[in-house]
Short mmCIF file of all heavy atoms in Angstrom, two decimals:
data_model
loop_
_atom_site.label_atom_id
_atom_site.label_comp_id
_atom_site.label_asym_id
_atom_site.label_seq_id
_atom_site.Cartn_x
_atom_site.Cartn_y
_atom_site.Cartn_z
N TRP H 174 -32.01 53.48 12.27
CA TRP H 174 -30.73 52.75 12.19
C TRP H 174 -30.42 52.08 13.53
O TRP H 174 -30.03 50.90 13.58
CB TRP H 174 -29.61 53.71 11.79
CG TRP H 174 -28.28 53.05 11.54
CD1 TRP H 174 -27.83 52.55 10.36
CD2 TRP H 174 -27.24 52.81 12.51
NE1 TRP H 174 -26.58 52.01 10.52
CE2 TRP H 174 -26.19 52.16 11.83
CE3 TRP H 174 -27.10 53.07 13.87
CZ2 TRP H 174 -25.00 51.77 12.47
CZ3 TRP H 174 -25.92 52.69 14.51
CH2 TRP H 174 -24.89 52.04 13.82
N LEU H 175 -30.62 52.83 14.63
CA LEU H 175 -30.35 52.26 15.95
C LEU H 175 -31.30 51.10 16.23
O LEU H 175 -30.93 50.11 16.86
CB LEU H 175 -30.46 53.35 17.03
CG LEU H 175 -29.31 54.37 17.02
CD1 LEU H 175 -29.66 55.60 17.85
CD2 LEU H 175 -28.01 53.74 17.55
N GLY H 176 -32.54 51.24 15.75
CA GLY H 176 -33.51 50.16 15.90
C GLY H 176 -33.02 48.88 15.23
O GLY H 176 -33.16 47.78 15.78
N GLU H 177 -32.42 49.06 14.04
CA GLU H 177 -31.87 47.89 13.32
C GLU H 177 -30.75 47.22 14.12
O GLU H 177 -30.47 46.03 13.93
CB GLU H 177 -31.32 48.32 11.96
CG GLU H 177 -32.40 48.65 10.94
CD GLU H 177 -31.86 49.45 9.76
OE1 GLU H 177 -30.63 49.37 9.49
OE2 GLU H 177 -32.64 50.17 9.12
N GLN H 178 -30.09 48.00 14.97
CA GLN H 178 -29.03 47.42 15.82
C GLN H 178 -29.63 46.82 17.09
O GLN H 178 -28.89 46.46 18.01
CB GLN H 178 -28.00 48.49 16.23
CG GLN H 178 -27.56 49.44 15.13
CD GLN H 178 -26.90 48.74 13.97
OE1 GLN H 178 -25.99 47.93 14.18
NE2 GLN H 178 -27.37 48.97 12.75
N GLY H 179 -30.95 46.78 17.17
CA GLY H 179 -31.58 46.16 18.34
C GLY H 179 -31.78 47.12 19.50
O GLY H 179 -32.06 46.69 20.63
N LEU H 180 -31.64 48.43 19.24
CA LEU H 180 -31.81 49.41 20.32
C LEU H 180 -33.17 50.06 20.22
O LEU H 180 -33.77 50.15 19.15
CB LEU H 180 -30.69 50.46 20.23
CG LEU H 180 -29.30 49.90 20.56
CD1 LEU H 180 -28.21 50.77 19.98
CD2 LEU H 180 -29.13 49.75 22.07
N ASP H 181 -33.65 50.52 21.37
CA ASP H 181 -34.98 51.14 21.46
C ASP H 181 -34.80 52.65 21.43
O ASP H 181 -34.53 53.28 22.45
CB ASP H 181 -35.61 50.68 22.79
CG ASP H 181 -36.88 51.45 23.13
OD1 ASP H 181 -37.54 51.95 22.19
OD2 ASP H 181 -37.18 51.55 24.33
N ALA H 182 -34.92 53.25 20.23
CA ALA H 182 -34.59 54.67 20.08
C ALA H 182 -35.76 55.48 19.57
O ALA H 182 -36.56 55.02 18.75
CB ALA H 182 -33.42 54.83 19.11
N GLY H 183 -35.86 56.74 20.06
CA GLY H 183 -36.92 57.63 19.60
C GLY H 183 -36.42 59.06 19.55
O GLY H 183 -35.48 59.44 20.26
N VAL H 184 -37.08 59.87 18.71
CA VAL H 184 -36.74 61.28 18.59
C VAL H 184 -37.19 62.02 19.85
O VAL H 184 -38.24 61.67 20.42
CB VAL H 184 -37.41 61.88 17.33
CG1 VAL H 184 -37.18 63.38 17.24
CG2 VAL H 184 -36.88 61.18 16.07
N ALA H 185 -36.41 62.99 20.29
CA ALA H 185 -36.71 63.70 21.54
C ALA H 185 -36.38 65.18 21.42
O ALA H 185 -35.62 65.59 20.53
CB ALA H 185 -35.90 63.08 22.68
N THR H 186 -36.93 65.96 22.34
CA THR H 186 -36.52 67.37 22.45
C THR H 186 -35.16 67.41 23.15
O THR H 186 -34.70 66.43 23.73
CB THR H 186 -37.51 68.17 23.30
OG1 THR H 186 -37.47 67.65 24.65
CG2 THR H 186 -38.93 68.03 22.76
N GLY H 187 -34.54 68.61 23.10
CA GLY H 187 -33.26 68.76 23.76
C GLY H 187 -33.34 68.47 25.25
O GLY H 187 -32.56 67.66 25.77
N PRO H 188 -34.28 69.08 25.98
CA PRO H 188 -34.37 68.79 27.42
C PRO H 188 -34.63 67.32 27.71
O PRO H 188 -34.12 66.77 28.70
CB PRO H 188 -35.54 69.68 27.87
CG PRO H 188 -35.56 70.81 26.88
CD PRO H 188 -35.14 70.21 25.58
N GLU H 189 -35.42 66.65 26.87
CA GLU H 189 -35.66 65.22 27.07
C GLU H 189 -34.36 64.42 26.92
O GLU H 189 -34.03 63.58 27.76
CB GLU H 189 -36.69 64.70 26.05
CG GLU H 189 -38.13 65.09 26.38
CD GLU H 189 -39.11 64.87 25.22
OE1 GLU H 189 -38.66 64.45 24.12
OE2 GLU H 189 -40.30 65.13 25.43
N ALA H 190 -33.62 64.69 25.83
CA ALA H 190 -32.36 63.97 25.61
C ALA H 190 -31.38 64.24 26.76
O ALA H 190 -30.66 63.35 27.22
CB ALA H 190 -31.74 64.37 24.27
N ALA H 191 -31.37 65.51 27.24
CA ALA H 191 -30.45 65.89 28.32
C ALA H 191 -30.85 65.27 29.65
O ALA H 191 -30.06 65.23 30.59
CB ALA H 191 -30.39 67.41 28.45
N GLY H 192 -32.08 64.76 29.73
CA GLY H 192 -32.54 64.14 30.97
C GLY H 192 -32.13 62.68 31.11
O GLY H 192 -32.41 62.05 32.14
N ALA H 193 -31.45 62.13 30.11
CA ALA H 193 -31.02 60.73 30.17
C ALA H 193 -29.88 60.54 31.17
O ALA H 193 -29.27 61.51 31.62
CB ALA H 193 -30.58 60.27 28.77
N ASP H 194 -29.59 59.27 31.49
CA ASP H 194 -28.50 58.98 32.43
C ASP H 194 -27.13 59.27 31.80
O ASP H 194 -26.20 59.70 32.47
CB ASP H 194 -28.55 57.51 32.83
CG ASP H 194 -29.86 57.13 33.51
OD1 ASP H 194 -30.45 58.01 34.18
OD2 ASP H 194 -30.28 55.97 33.37
N ILE H 195 -27.05 58.97 30.51
CA ILE H 195 -25.80 59.21 29.77
C ILE H 195 -26.16 60.12 28.60
O ILE H 195 -27.05 59.81 27.81
CB ILE H 195 -25.23 57.88 29.22
CG1 ILE H 195 -24.90 56.93 30.37
CG2 ILE H 195 -24.00 58.14 28.35
CD1 ILE H 195 -24.53 55.51 29.92
N VAL H 196 -25.47 61.26 28.50
CA VAL H 196 -25.75 62.24 27.45
C VAL H 196 -24.53 62.35 26.54
O VAL H 196 -23.40 62.53 27.03
CB VAL H 196 -26.12 63.61 28.05
CG1 VAL H 196 -26.30 64.66 26.95
CG2 VAL H 196 -27.38 63.49 28.91
N LEU H 197 -24.76 62.23 25.24
CA LEU H 197 -23.67 62.28 24.27
C LEU H 197 -23.89 63.45 23.33
O LEU H 197 -24.98 63.60 22.78
CB LEU H 197 -23.65 60.98 23.45
CG LEU H 197 -23.72 59.68 24.25
CD1 LEU H 197 -23.89 58.48 23.32
CD2 LEU H 197 -22.48 59.52 25.13
N THR H 198 -22.86 64.28 23.14
CA THR H 198 -22.98 65.37 22.16
C THR H 198 -22.00 65.11 21.03
O THR H 198 -20.82 64.86 21.26
CB THR H 198 -22.74 66.76 22.79
OG1 THR H 198 -21.40 66.85 23.26
CG2 THR H 198 -23.70 67.00 23.95
N THR H 199 -22.53 65.13 19.81
CA THR H 199 -21.77 64.67 18.64
C THR H 199 -21.93 65.63 17.48
O THR H 199 -22.01 65.22 16.33
CB THR H 199 -22.30 63.29 18.20
OG1 THR H 199 -23.66 63.47 17.73
CG2 THR H 199 -22.31 62.29 19.33
N THR H 200 -21.95 66.92 17.77
CA THR H 200 -22.29 67.93 16.75
C THR H 200 -21.08 68.79 16.39
O THR H 200 -20.11 68.84 17.15
CB THR H 200 -23.38 68.88 17.29
OG1 THR H 200 -22.77 69.76 18.25
CG2 THR H 200 -24.51 68.12 17.96
N PRO H 201 -21.15 69.49 15.25
CA PRO H 201 -20.08 70.45 14.92
C PRO H 201 -20.41 71.85 15.45
O PRO H 201 -19.96 72.84 14.90
CB PRO H 201 -20.09 70.44 13.39
CG PRO H 201 -21.52 70.18 13.03
CD PRO H 201 -22.11 69.33 14.15
N ALA H 202 -21.22 71.93 16.53
CA ALA H 202 -21.73 73.22 17.00
C ALA H 202 -20.62 74.16 17.44
O ALA H 202 -19.57 73.73 17.91
CB ALA H 202 -22.69 72.99 18.17
N SER H 203 -20.88 75.45 17.31
CA SER H 203 -19.94 76.44 17.83
C SER H 203 -20.57 77.25 18.96
O SER H 203 -20.04 78.27 19.37
CB SER H 203 -19.43 77.35 16.70
OG SER H 203 -20.50 77.80 15.92
N ALA H 204 -21.69 76.74 19.50
CA ALA H 204 -22.30 77.29 20.71
C ALA H 204 -22.98 76.11 21.43
O ALA H 204 -23.38 75.14 20.76
CB ALA H 204 -23.32 78.35 20.36
N PRO H 205 -23.06 76.16 22.75
CA PRO H 205 -23.57 75.00 23.50
C PRO H 205 -24.90 74.47 22.95
O PRO H 205 -25.80 75.24 22.61
CB PRO H 205 -23.72 75.54 24.92
CG PRO H 205 -22.64 76.57 25.02
CD PRO H 205 -22.61 77.22 23.66
N VAL H 206 -25.03 73.14 22.88
CA VAL H 206 -26.24 72.50 22.33
C VAL H 206 -27.23 72.16 23.44
O VAL H 206 -28.33 71.70 23.15
CB VAL H 206 -25.88 71.22 21.55
CG1 VAL H 206 -25.04 71.57 20.32
CG2 VAL H 206 -25.16 70.19 22.42
N LEU H 207 -26.82 72.36 24.70
CA LEU H 207 -27.75 72.10 25.80
C LEU H 207 -27.51 73.12 26.90
O LEU H 207 -26.48 73.81 26.92
CB LEU H 207 -27.59 70.67 26.31
CG LEU H 207 -26.20 70.17 26.66
CD1 LEU H 207 -25.77 70.60 28.05
CD2 LEU H 207 -26.17 68.63 26.58
N GLU H 208 -28.50 73.23 27.81
CA GLU H 208 -28.35 74.15 28.94
C GLU H 208 -27.92 73.36 30.16
O GLU H 208 -28.39 72.23 30.37
CB GLU H 208 -29.68 74.86 29.21
CG GLU H 208 -30.04 75.83 28.10
CD GLU H 208 -31.35 76.57 28.37
OE1 GLU H 208 -31.75 76.65 29.57
OE2 GLU H 208 -31.95 77.05 27.40
N ALA H 209 -27.06 73.97 30.97
CA ALA H 209 -26.55 73.28 32.15
C ALA H 209 -27.70 72.82 33.06
O ALA H 209 -27.64 71.73 33.65
CB ALA H 209 -25.59 74.19 32.92
N ALA H 210 -28.78 73.62 33.12
CA ALA H 210 -29.89 73.31 34.02
C ALA H 210 -30.66 72.05 33.58
O ALA H 210 -31.39 71.46 34.36
CB ALA H 210 -30.85 74.50 34.10
N TRP H 211 -30.49 71.66 32.30
CA TRP H 211 -31.19 70.47 31.81
C TRP H 211 -30.57 69.18 32.36
O TRP H 211 -31.18 68.11 32.28
CB TRP H 211 -31.13 70.38 30.28
CG TRP H 211 -31.82 71.49 29.54
CD1 TRP H 211 -32.60 72.48 30.07
CD2 TRP H 211 -31.79 71.71 28.12
NE1 TRP H 211 -33.06 73.30 29.08
CE2 TRP H 211 -32.59 72.85 27.87
CE3 TRP H 211 -31.19 71.07 27.04
CZ2 TRP H 211 -32.78 73.35 26.59
CZ3 TRP H 211 -31.38 71.56 25.77
CH2 TRP H 211 -32.16 72.70 25.54
N ILE H 212 -29.32 69.27 32.81
CA ILE H 212 -28.58 68.09 33.25
C ILE H 212 -28.78 67.88 34.75
O ILE H 212 -28.43 68.75 35.55
CB ILE H 212 -27.07 68.25 32.94
CG1 ILE H 212 -26.84 68.46 31.43
CG2 ILE H 212 -26.27 67.05 33.46
CD1 ILE H 212 -27.11 67.26 30.56
N GLY H 213 -29.32 66.73 35.13
CA GLY H 213 -29.59 66.45 36.53
C GLY H 213 -28.44 65.72 37.22
O GLY H 213 -27.52 65.25 36.56
N PRO H 214 -28.52 65.61 38.56
CA PRO H 214 -27.49 64.87 39.32
C PRO H 214 -27.42 63.43 38.82
O PRO H 214 -28.44 62.86 38.42
CB PRO H 214 -28.02 64.91 40.76
CG PRO H 214 -29.04 65.99 40.79
CD PRO H 214 -29.60 66.12 39.41
N GLY H 215 -26.22 62.87 38.81
CA GLY H 215 -26.06 61.47 38.42
C GLY H 215 -25.84 61.25 36.95
O GLY H 215 -25.65 60.12 36.50
N THR H 216 -25.85 62.36 36.18
CA THR H 216 -25.69 62.24 34.72
C THR H 216 -24.21 62.22 34.33
O THR H 216 -23.41 62.97 34.90
CB THR H 216 -26.36 63.43 34.02
OG1 THR H 216 -27.69 63.57 34.51
CG2 THR H 216 -26.37 63.24 32.50
N HIS H 217 -23.90 61.39 33.35
CA HIS H 217 -22.59 61.51 32.71
C HIS H 217 -22.77 62.09 31.31
O HIS H 217 -23.67 61.68 30.58
CB HIS H 217 -21.86 60.17 32.60
CG HIS H 217 -20.65 60.31 31.71
ND1 HIS H 217 -19.53 60.98 32.11
CD2 HIS H 217 -20.44 59.94 30.42
CE1 HIS H 217 -18.65 60.99 31.11
NE2 HIS H 217 -19.18 60.37 30.08
N VAL H 218 -21.87 63.02 30.92
CA VAL H 218 -21.93 63.66 29.60
C VAL H 218 -20.61 63.43 28.87
O VAL H 218 -19.54 63.75 29.40
CB VAL H 218 -22.18 65.18 29.73
CG1 VAL H 218 -22.29 65.83 28.35
CG2 VAL H 218 -23.42 65.46 30.57
N THR H 219 -20.67 62.87 27.66
CA THR H 219 -19.48 62.74 26.82
C THR H 219 -19.67 63.62 25.59
O THR H 219 -20.66 63.48 24.87
CB THR H 219 -19.27 61.28 26.36
OG1 THR H 219 -18.95 60.48 27.50
CG2 THR H 219 -18.12 61.19 25.35
N ALA H 220 -18.71 64.53 25.35
CA ALA H 220 -18.75 65.44 24.20
C ALA H 220 -17.62 65.07 23.25
O ALA H 220 -16.46 65.04 23.64
CB ALA H 220 -18.60 66.88 24.67
N VAL H 221 -17.98 64.77 22.00
CA VAL H 221 -16.95 64.38 21.03
C VAL H 221 -16.86 65.33 19.83
O VAL H 221 -16.05 65.13 18.94
CB VAL H 221 -17.17 62.94 20.49
CG1 VAL H 221 -17.19 61.94 21.62
CG2 VAL H 221 -18.43 62.85 19.63
N GLY H 222 -17.70 66.37 19.81
CA GLY H 222 -17.80 67.19 18.60
C GLY H 222 -16.70 68.22 18.43
O GLY H 222 -16.31 68.52 17.30
N ALA H 223 -16.19 68.79 19.51
CA ALA H 223 -15.27 69.92 19.37
C ALA H 223 -13.86 69.44 19.02
O ALA H 223 -13.28 68.65 19.75
CB ALA H 223 -15.24 70.73 20.67
N ASP H 224 -13.36 69.90 17.88
CA ASP H 224 -12.00 69.55 17.50
C ASP H 224 -11.28 70.76 16.91
O ASP H 224 -10.22 70.63 16.32
CB ASP H 224 -12.00 68.37 16.52
CG ASP H 224 -12.81 68.69 15.26
OD1 ASP H 224 -13.37 69.79 15.18
OD2 ASP H 224 -12.86 67.83 14.38
N MET H 225 -11.88 71.92 17.06
CA MET H 225 -11.24 73.15 16.61
C MET H 225 -11.60 74.24 17.60
O MET H 225 -12.62 74.14 18.28
CB MET H 225 -11.71 73.54 15.22
CG MET H 225 -11.20 72.58 14.15
SD MET H 225 -11.59 73.20 12.51
CE MET H 225 -10.37 74.51 12.36
N PRO H 226 -10.74 75.29 17.69
CA PRO H 226 -10.96 76.30 18.73
C PRO H 226 -12.35 76.94 18.71
O PRO H 226 -12.87 77.29 19.76
CB PRO H 226 -9.87 77.34 18.44
CG PRO H 226 -8.77 76.56 17.79
CD PRO H 226 -9.48 75.50 16.96
N HIS H 227 -12.98 77.06 17.53
CA HIS H 227 -14.28 77.77 17.51
C HIS H 227 -15.44 76.84 17.85
O HIS H 227 -16.56 77.30 18.00
CB HIS H 227 -14.50 78.42 16.14
CG HIS H 227 -14.75 77.43 15.04
ND1 HIS H 227 -13.74 76.81 14.35
CD2 HIS H 227 -15.90 76.93 14.55
CE1 HIS H 227 -14.27 76.00 13.46
NE2 HIS H 227 -15.57 76.03 13.55
N LYS H 228 -15.19 75.54 17.97
CA LYS H 228 -16.29 74.61 18.23
C LYS H 228 -16.55 74.49 19.73
O LYS H 228 -15.64 74.54 20.54
CB LYS H 228 -15.99 73.25 17.61
CG LYS H 228 -15.98 73.30 16.07
CD LYS H 228 -15.94 71.91 15.47
CE LYS H 228 -15.82 71.96 13.95
NZ LYS H 228 -15.58 70.62 13.38
#
Side-chain angles (χ1 to χ4, degrees):
Chain H
W174 186 89
L175 288 165
E177 287 163 24
Q178 317 299 310
L180 292 159
D181 169 26
V184 174
T186 65
E189 284 166 357
D194 300 330
I195 299 171
V196 176
L197 312 172
T198 64
T199 66
T200 74
S203 47
V206 296
L207 50 82
E208 291 181 21
W211 296 353
I212 301 290
T216 309
H217 169 72
V218 182
T219 293
V221 302
D224 58 359
M225 290 188 75
H227 70 275
K228 293 191 185 172

